[in-house]
Amino acid sequence: MYRVSVSTDFVAQHFLTVPDPGPEGEPHSHRYELEVRCRGPELNEYGYLLDIDELIAAVDAVEERYRDELLNDREAFDGLNPSVEHFARIVADRLAGSLDAPEVETLTVRLHEDEIAWASYERALTA
């Protein structure tokens, strides 16, 4: 199985919308570290799992979309508590829709919200 990974970091804000969120119920910032992993059993005709430059561009677009934004105000979070778990899934779905990578079977997004806490979301890619 082949794996290709890229990562970046950015700052975004949110506040939790669950009952009794404590201080997390007030707007605050996180320095998110985003890692994207693509996995598949075969390489393309050029010996790549996917074009890394295309993956970097897709990750950069996600970073640009959420950098310095209040997640609660973004349409993708409508009706959701903006947890790091939801954020990881939203990022994975956005990336899956923007990649042209038929050899990639699985896309995993790991999103660190600080130095000790992270969540990930894994999804299949359909050709």
Side-chain angles (χ1 to χ4, degrees):
M1 198 62 67
Y2 296 96
R3 289 185 174 91
V4 172
S5 179
V6 299
S7 59
T8 190
D9 61 82
F10 60 96
V11 174
Q13 298 78 39
H14 75 153
F15 59 90
L16 300 182
T17 59
V18 296
D20 302 317
E24 297 288 314
E26 296 296 322
H28 60 280
S29 298
H30 289 285
R31 184 182 149 271
Y32 290 100
E33 292 184 31
L34 170 62
E35 180 181 322
V36 179
R37 296 179 185 181
C38 297
R39 191 177 124 214
E42 303 292 331
L43 301 179
N44 68 18
E45 63 185 292
Y46 305 109
Y48 302 139
L49 179 62
L50 77 160
D51 182 332
I52 291 176
D53 290 335
E54 181 184 335
L55 179 59
I56 291 169
V59 169
D60 286 349
V62 166
E63 175 190 346
E64 186 174 317
R65 180 175 190 81
Y66 295 108
R67 182 182 343 111
D68 298 326
E69 294 290 327
L70 179 65
L71 300 179
N72 303 67
D73 290 344
R74 301 303 302 204
E75 184 178 344
F77 290 92
D78 282 352
L80 298 176
N81 181 43
S83 65
V84 69
E85 294 90 342
H86 279 303
F87 197 10
R89 179 191 48 78
I90 288 166
V91 169
D93 289 347
R94 177 166 282 286
L95 289 171
S98 66
L99 291 177
D100 178 22
E103 283 74 28
V104 175
E105 290 183 347
T106 306
L107 173 74
T108 303
V109 167
R110 185 187 313 203
L111 197 57
H112 294 255
E113 69 175 12
D114 58 32
E115 56 280 343
I116 60 172
W118 60 269
S120 68
Y121 184 80
E122 181 177 286
R123 60 161 290 161
L125 294 187
T126 55

